């Protein structure tokens, strides 16, 4: 019968690339489908993988929305995926999850990611059973201008000027404006702003 299936195999903070699925729990072979309640049986108890619903980079802070269809305490590890979008290549950080299927958000201030990077995650239960990598979610970058001052201090973590937002944004990012700026004017006292990449600058949310 092939003997007992291997369990309690922990995979943590490894660098993986060009391996197809990276972590393979069998049977079955291939990317497994999460089951409600995580009651199926297999290698590492076929621990359900996280389900990522969004990855937003907002003023330099990475916010990843996810859930896991499992009960009990889990450690969720997040990675930038390799070129295939399937293997966790660059470790970002971890989050503790006890949502029992509910939505959660992991926040990583000043994360070293860029717009369009594919993010994947794994889940490890208290017994050390690590899941396969999740389906990836691409990073969407948004910078929120929250001051009408024309500043060039190179950061958007606290005060984010329009000039700094344009300079810091990666190609494809969206720049929006904080609600308190409604009715105010941004005067470019430091001169014209050079826009040398594809950006969306959207003020439609302000009256």
């Amino acid at each position: 019968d092939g003997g007992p299936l291997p369990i309690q195999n922990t995979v943590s903070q490894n660098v993986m690339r060009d391996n197809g699925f990276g972590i393979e729990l069998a049977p079955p072979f291939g990317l497994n489908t999460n089951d409600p309640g995580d009651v199926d049986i297999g290698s590492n108890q076929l621990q359900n993988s996280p389900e990522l619903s969004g990855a937003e980079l907002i003023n330099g802070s990475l916010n990843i929305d996810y859930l896991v269809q499992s009960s009990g305490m889990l450690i969720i590890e997040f990675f930038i995926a390799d070129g295939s979008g399937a293997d966790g290549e660059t470790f970002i950080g971890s989050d503790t999850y006890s949502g029992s299927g509910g939505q959660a958000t992991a926040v990583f201030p000043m994360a070293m990611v860029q717009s369009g990077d594919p993010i994947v995650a794994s889940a490890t239960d208290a017994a050390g059973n690590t899941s396969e990598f999740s389906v990836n979610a691409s990073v969407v970058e948004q910078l929120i201008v929250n001051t009408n001052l024309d500043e060039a201090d190179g950061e958007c973590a606290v005060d984010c000027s329009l000039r700094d937002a344009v300079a810091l944004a990666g190609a494809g990012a969206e720049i929006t404006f904080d609600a308190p700026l409604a009715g105010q004017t941004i005067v470019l006292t430091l001169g014209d702003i050079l826009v040398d990449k594809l950006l969306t600058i959207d003020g439609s949310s302000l009256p």
Side-chain angles (χ1 to χ4, degrees):
D1 60 7
L5 292 168
I7 60 172
Q8 299 179 352
N9 295 290
T10 302
V11 182
S12 178
Q13 301 186 31
N14 292 60
V15 176
M16 296 189 185
R17 58 179 177 268
D18 305 322
N19 290 313
F21 293 115
I23 303 173
E24 172 70 273
L25 302 183
F29 291 97
L31 186 63
N32 293 336
T33 300
N34 289 331
D35 63 307
D38 204 4
V39 296
D40 53 3
I41 297 173
S43 300
N44 273 8
Q45 306 291 10
L46 293 183
Q47 168 63 51
N48 278 345
S49 61
E51 299 174 25
L52 310 185
S53 55
E56 291 186 304
L57 185 64
I58 302 176
N59 288 14
S61 179
L62 179 62
N63 300 266
I64 304 174
D65 296 323
Y66 72 97
L67 61 82
V68 188
Q69 296 187 54
S70 301
S71 59
M73 191 75 68
L74 302 169
I75 300 299
I76 313 301
E77 294 190 349
F78 298 91
F79 302 79
I80 302 173
D82 68 347
S84 73
D87 290 350
E89 181 172 12
T90 304
F91 179 65
I92 297 171
S94 63
D95 192 37
T96 300
Y97 179 82
S98 57
S100 298
Q103 192 77 20
T105 301
V107 179
F108 302 102
M110 308 307 294
M112 300 300 292
V113 300
Q114 299 178 349
S115 178
D117 280 347
I119 305 299
V120 294
S122 64
T124 302
D125 68 13
N129 296 297
T130 299
S131 72
E132 297 181 342
F133 286 119
S134 67
V135 175
N136 73 64
S138 295
V139 172
V140 176
E141 185 179 13
Q142 181 184 27
L143 289 104
I144 303 174
V145 175
N146 58 16
T147 178
N148 65 351
L149 298 178
D150 190 18
E151 300 175 330
D153 55 15
E155 65 89 18
C156 267
V158 182
D159 290 332
C160 188
S161 69
L162 177 59
R163 185 177 300 275
D164 280 329
V166 170
L168 294 171
E174 180 183 40
I175 296 173
T176 60
F177 298 85
D178 206 7
L181 292 180
Q184 299 188 38
T185 301
I186 297 175
V187 179
L188 300 180
T189 57
L190 301 180
D192 292 343
I193 296 175
L194 174 64
V195 181
D196 58 356
K197 60 204 128 182
L198 178 64
L199 298 173
T200 299
I201 301 177
D202 184 4
S204 62
S205 62
L206 301 182

